[in-house]
Structures are given as structure tokens and as C-alpha cells.
Amino acid sequence: MIAELQKLVSIESVARPGEEGLPYGAGPAAALTYVLSLCESFGFRIKNADGLYGYAEIGSGDELIGILCHLDVVPAGEGWDYPPYEGILIGDRLYGRGVIDDKGPAIACIFAMKDLLDSGCLLNKRIRIIFGQTEENGEWTDMAAYKQCEELPAYGFTPDGDFPAIYGEKGIMLVTVSMDKEVSGILSIRGGSAPNMVPDSCVAEAGGKTFETIGKSSHGCAPWMGDNAITKMMERLCIEGLDVPFARMYMDKIGGCLHGEKMNCAFEDGDSGKLSMNAGMIKDLDEKLTLYLDIRYPVTFQSDEIMAIIEEEFAPYEVEVRLIHQQNPVYMDKNGPIMRRLLQAYRAVTGDLSDPLVIGGGTYARAMNNIIAFGPNIPGHPNTEHEKNEYILIEDLQTIREVYKRALEALAF
């Protein structure tokens, strides 16, 4: 299993739609070909839908159980101590982009399915692992294509969240704030590599000088885990005393706040906690300077009310504000029958009796009905997704393989 994960990690599968005439680029296409070949070698029935999506299946029966994984990864970013696309094993850790999000869990699920097949048990339901390739950029055209052409699972899980299980996911908004460069006070700027990551570097030209700031990356749904290089840049430009209207606006309306406090949208509720706001990326293009805000909002609120406040707050400035992507919250019955079976499997392996969670991340649980985000992150263990030096503990990889095997047994019989 470790060797197969290393091979998959070695494929740089950042989604670049249209690259080399492929739906999501050469990397995701290669990753899909690889996992389908692996599954076929284990005796699974496979399908590659012209690179739009793929799946592998075992068992028989009318009912279909789904496992929704993704093979694309966020860009590696800078500052790694180990090559991000080699799957380096150091002691009890396997390093590489995607080992925890989501290639490691995908491989663990494949091997859990193999374990069931090798056991000789007769599955009276079908188990289908569905491989997406554009989860990280938020487009999800892969899942849309699947839903248009294929049978939908009756229920299942996505191994792309936290244990013990997730019954709610905050809503997601991707908002852009654009200002004409000629009035921004900034000649050029580049910061961050994806909106859903805390940016770890930013370079800007202003006032005849070049400035660089360094931060720490983390997942955009938990900006408090990182150190935002864009915020540090805006602070720096203001401290320098330059005439930089964009930086002043940034510090007035965002600054170092992580929950929308300066924008009067610091909403929260008892189930899912506080709204989070991550300034994930900034760039200049076509005479515009554009900032990308990744916002995760509580399950009891609506995106339109939040967007109305954001537009009002930015109204005094010479900017264009656009909502370019939005996903509604997910909120399920944490005491439902599928949740109970998954929790039973997890608790039997780990002994952990923790309660299900609500998270800020966005998973394929939003893509289809009756899908629950289930692992792979174990409570109290390091979670390095979207960070430099992303790694998974070998012991954890073995644990999640066993959890997923038992979960599939519970669901398939």
C-alpha cells in the first residue's frame, strides 16, 4: 500500500483544465489512469469516462454504495524540506503533496475494498469508488458529469474530512475584490497559489520599491493555523507610508481579522461556530488588482445576506466585488442509520468515542445526497493538508485502511 501511494504521489495532479487537450490536464489524467489500472489488477470492474471521471466497483446487487475520492491536489507551494512529488518515507512519516488530501485516503479505500474481495465474502451490494479530479479548484465538473451519466449511490462516504465523522459542512463563498491598478498604488503583486490556502509568500512593487513577505500555509478553512503573507504585505505597505489605497482598504476591511469582524459579518451559530475569512490569493491581471476571499459561513446563515453586507462594506471604495463561486452548507442527521454504522466501525478500531463534527472544509459530501465525510484525520493527530511538508503517519494509514474495511462491511451487509 505504501509503495502504491508513493507512485500516486509522484504524479503532480494539480487540475489545469484543458491542458494538452485533457479535461483537467495531464496530471489528473495520469493519476486517474494509474488508480484505475491498480484497481483492475485487484479484480475490480473499472470505467474511465474519457477522463471526465472514473470509477472501480466490486460486489453485486441492486443497491450501490459510493466512496467519493479526488485525485487532484493543491499546488505544492514553496519551502518544502522534501520533494513534494516523490513520496519520501522518513521514519514513520510519508511526505508528499496529497498524502492526506486525498491520495492517501483513496489508496486506503482501494486496499480496504481489496481486503473485502480477498476475504471471499459474498457482497450483496455493490461498492463503487468514484474518482474525481477537480475537487480542489471548486469547479466539480467531474461530479456533474458523473451525475448526468451514471447511477447515483444510495449512500456512502467521502474520505476527505475528519473522524469520527462529519454531519455538517459550512457554506462556502469565493469572492473577488478588484481595483484598477492605476488607482491601487501597487504596480504589480503576486501572493498565494490557491484561494483555499493561506498564502505563504507575497511579492509586490510599490513606490519604486520591491517588497516580499513570508508567511505559513495552511488550509483556507482554518486560517488561524497559518500566517497570511498577503496580510503581512498590506501591513508592510501601510507602515512604509506609501500612497497605497488598496492596502489601506485591506487593513480597514480585513486586516488581521479571521472571522469578518471588520466587515460586520462575524456570524456564528451553536452547531458550526464562527464564519472564517481567508485572503487566499492576490494578483494583477489586465490592469486590475484582484484579491480572492475564501469565506466559510455557519450552516444556519445564507450566502445572499453575507454577500449583501460585503458589497455594502466595500461600496465606499473604487472596487468591483463579485461572488464567483458558492456552495450551500451541508447539514445531516448525526443520529441517522448510516452515521451510526460508520461510527461503530471507527470506534471498534480506535476506541475513540468522540461525537461527530461540523467543519469548515468543503468535501464531495456536497456533490450527492446521503454522502458523509468520514476521515481520514484522526482527532489529536497532526493534520498537514494544504501545508508544506504534508505528511501522513504510516500507522494512521494502516488504521484508516482497517476503519474503511469495517465501515464497508457494515454498509454492504
Side-chain angles (χ1 to χ4, degrees):
M1 179 172 64
I2 295 170
E4 301 299 344
L5 177 54
Q6 288 173 308
K7 294 174 186 176
L8 182 57
V9 169
S10 72
I11 302 170
E12 184 181 353
S13 54
V14 177
R16 299 182 178 96
E19 178 188 64
E20 298 187 17
L22 297 164
Y24 313 112
L32 180 62
T33 298
Y34 173 75
V35 296
L36 290 178
S37 176
L38 177 64
C39 290
E40 188 174 36
S41 74
F42 290 158
F44 300 3
R45 303 180 295 274
I46 67 167
K47 178 176 179 177
N48 186 337
D50 298 324
L52 290 170
Y53 58 86
Y55 66 76
E57 184 177 291
I58 62 174
S60 60
D62 294 333
E63 199 161 45
L64 181 66
I65 298 167
I67 306 171
L68 278 60
C69 302
H70 70 88
L71 303 175
D72 63 308
V73 297
V74 296
E78 304 294 332
W80 285 65
D81 297 318
Y82 310 100
Y85 298 112
E86 291 187 14
I88 300 294
L89 183 62
I90 305 291
D92 61 349
R93 299 178 178 184
L94 181 64
Y95 289 88
R97 178 56 87 219
V99 292
I100 193 70
D101 182 22
D102 190 36
K103 292 180 175 180
I107 289 290
C109 287
I110 290 170
F111 275 83
M113 292 171 66
K114 178 182 183 295
D115 292 340
L116 284 179
L117 204 60
D118 291 347
S119 72
C121 62
L122 296 177
L123 297 171
N124 58 10
K125 298 175 184 175
R126 288 171 293 136
I127 301 172
R128 178 179 293 181
I129 183 167
I130 303 166
F131 300 108
Q133 301 174 86
T134 182
E135 192 269 352
E136 292 291 4
N137 67 11
E139 294 181 356
W140 293 17
T141 49
D142 47 2
M143 291 296 105
Y146 178 93
K147 289 191 289 184
Q148 184 176 7
C149 301
E150 304 289 349
E151 178 184 1
L152 297 181
Y155 48 84
F157 63 86
T158 175
D160 191 22
D162 298 309
F163 286 125
I166 292 166
Y167 70 96
E169 297 182 13
K170 291 180 179 179
I172 298 177
M173 301 168 61
L174 180 56
V175 176
T176 58
V177 182
S178 299
M179 179 182 286
D180 289 342
K181 275 207 301 183
E182 65 180 3
V183 300
S184 71
I186 297 174
L187 180 63
S188 67
I189 191 166
R190 285 288 186 276
S193 53
N196 63 348
M197 297 175 65
V198 174
D200 60 4
S201 65
C202 187
V203 178
E205 292 182 69
K209 299 180 181 179
T210 299
F211 302 91
E212 181 177 6
T213 52
I214 302 298
K216 176 181 180 293
S217 64
S218 69
H219 198 297
C221 71
W224 49 88
M225 300 294 292
D227 184 16
N228 195 306
I230 294 174
T231 300
K232 295 172 80 170
M233 176 61 72
M234 297 302 146
E235 290 175 337
R236 175 80 179 276
L237 294 177
C238 289
I239 290 172
E240 289 286 328
L242 303 174
D243 182 19
V244 187
F246 191 94
R248 292 199 303 271
M249 176 194 70
Y250 186 102
M251 297 309 297
D252 286 346
K253 292 299 165 187
I254 301 171
C257 298
L258 304 177
H259 305 289
E261 294 95 332
K262 288 193 171 186
M263 222 176 291
N264 292 315
C265 58
F267 301 123
E268 63 180 297
D269 61 29
D271 284 309
S272 53
K274 296 180 178 181
L275 176 147
S276 67
M277 183 177 295
N278 174 53
M281 191 165 67
I282 191 169
K283 60 184 180 181
D284 60 275
L285 183 67
D286 297 331
E287 302 306 316
K288 292 280 189 181
L289 192 156
T290 300
L291 175 70
Y292 293 75
L293 298 176
D294 183 324
I295 299 167
R296 312 295 171 111
Y297 61 92
V299 297
T300 57
F301 288 83
Q302 301 295 322
S303 62
D304 54 356
E305 61 183 311
I306 298 170
M307 192 62 194
I309 293 172
I310 293 173
E311 290 174 338
E312 181 180 354
E313 291 293 317
F314 280 115
Y317 304 89
E318 297 182 59
V319 295
E320 177 188 13
V321 182
R322 294 179 57 205
L323 175 64
I324 63 173
H325 176 71
Q326 187 265 334
Q327 291 180 345
N328 292 325
V330 173
Y331 196 57
M332 303 177 68
D333 181 5
K334 64 180 178 180
N335 298 309
I338 305 305
M339 181 71 78
R340 288 200 302 269
R341 293 181 194 178
L342 295 178
L343 288 175
Q344 183 179 18
Y346 169 74
R347 290 166 176 170
V349 174
T350 66
D352 176 20
L353 301 180
S354 301
D355 291 327
L357 310 166
V358 174
I359 63 167
T363 76
Y364 277 154
R366 302 170 189 265
M368 301 180 195
N369 293 330
N370 303 316
I371 301 296
I372 294 169
F374 183 54
N377 299 316
I378 298 173
H381 291 213
N383 177 10
T384 57
E385 63 179 348
H386 291 205
E387 296 182 9
K388 67 180 182 181
N389 297 327
E390 179 180 351
Y391 72 86
I392 189 170
L393 296 171
I394 299 303
E395 182 181 1
D396 287 356
L397 188 62
Q398 300 289 357
T399 295
I400 65 175
R401 173 180 177 175
E402 179 63 22
V403 170
Y404 290 143
K405 173 179 176 287
R406 294 199 186 200
L408 292 172
E409 286 176 329
L411 295 176
F413 294 101

